[in-house]
Amino acid sequence: PRLVGADQGCRPVSAAREEILARIRIATGAVAAPEETDAAYAALPRPYRRAHHDPSVTDVVALFAERAADYRAVVERVPEDSLPGAVAAAVAAVESLVVPDGLPAGWLAGLAPVIRLVRDEPPLSAAELDRISGVVTSCAVAIAETGTIILDHGPGQGRRALTLVPDFHLVVVRAGQVAADIADALARLDPARPHTLISGPSATSDIELIRVEGVHGPRNLHILISG
């Protein structure tokens, strides 16, 4: 049989194939792993770098604001008691707003009476959502390193369509929800829930790098960081 890895011991191709298939069978649970295999796997060194930013020496909230703004999101930091006024100012030009179940009512206390608030009950159709100007949500967690917001569609976040169809998305991120790095953020999430990751307004570019916004989501993303 043909040999592979001539400078690393020259194993036959068939032997390498069988080793790969054996690992796949173990990984998929088709066969049990021999004890020596488990021990060898557990003994492998894993000096992975799980974080690039130490929250004790890095202002992760400021870093998140900077990275999110790099994606052309509008980002503001506001005190908790100023949040209703900041929400009202952010949506001043919006005619109608989807309000998901579980959103704190106090956040909307300063809205102008001309803004029409719409509930997603019964669930709005795509055509109905398309006629609504914007949506306001909370979030599950945010990532400072990448400027990313993660929704797990729990209370105050609504189903995924609510944040994909309207042209304007206002997100309230509490300072305590900002994780330094991706690993930290994922550790805070329930893996059984659906997750939507948002890094700036929806945008794409063609082969000539001409940027087009709003192709598969809101053209406008406004982030209020409270606390």
Side-chain angles (χ1 to χ4, degrees), residues 72 83 86 99 112 136 149 209:
R72 302 189 186 183
L83 193 53
V99 180
V136 54
I149 293 165
L209 300 183

Side-chain angles (χ1 to χ4, degrees), residues 6 32 51 58 85 100 133 137 170 208:
T58 301
S133 307
T137 72
L170 173 64
E208 295 180 349

Side-chain angles (χ1 to χ4, degrees), residues 81-173:
D81 57 3
S82 299
L83 193 53
V87 170
V91 301
V94 172
E95 296 179 356
S96 54
L97 201 63
V98 180
V99 180
D101 289 341
L103 193 79
W107 291 3
L108 308 178
L111 293 188
V114 295
I115 297 178
R116 181 169 62 95
L117 301 182
V118 182
R119 296 286 178 178
D120 188 36
E121 184 61 43
L124 300 165
S125 67
E128 289 172 319
L129 283 172
D130 193 43
R131 291 192 290 268
I132 297 173
S133 307
V135 60
V136 54
T137 72
S138 59
C139 74
V141 69
I143 308 174
E145 182 181 27
T146 61
T148 301
I149 293 165
I150 302 181
L151 308 180
D152 67 1
H153 304 286
Q157 299 170 56
R159 57 194 174 99
R160 184 169 291 166
L162 301 190
T163 56
L164 293 179
V165 181
D167 196 48
F168 173 85
H169 184 189
L170 173 64
V171 187
V172 177
V173 179

Side-chain angles (χ1 to χ4, degrees), residues 14-41:
S14 57
R17 180 185 62 198
E18 288 304 316
E19 181 179 342
I20 292 171
L21 292 175
R23 291 184 181 183
I24 292 173
R25 294 186 188 103
I26 292 170
T28 59
V31 297
E35 291 185 5
E36 60 271 19
T37 301
D38 286 341
Y41 184 76

Side-chain angles (χ1 to χ4, degrees), residues 55-105:
S56 66
V57 296
T58 301
D59 186 343
V60 294
V61 177
L63 179 62
F64 167 73
E66 175 189 333
R67 297 287 169 85
D70 285 343
Y71 284 118
R72 302 189 186 183
V74 176
V75 184
E76 298 181 75
R77 295 187 67 171
V78 298
E80 184 73 23
D81 57 3
S82 299
L83 193 53
V87 170
V91 301
V94 172
E95 296 179 356
S96 54
L97 201 63
V98 180
V99 180
D101 289 341
L103 193 79

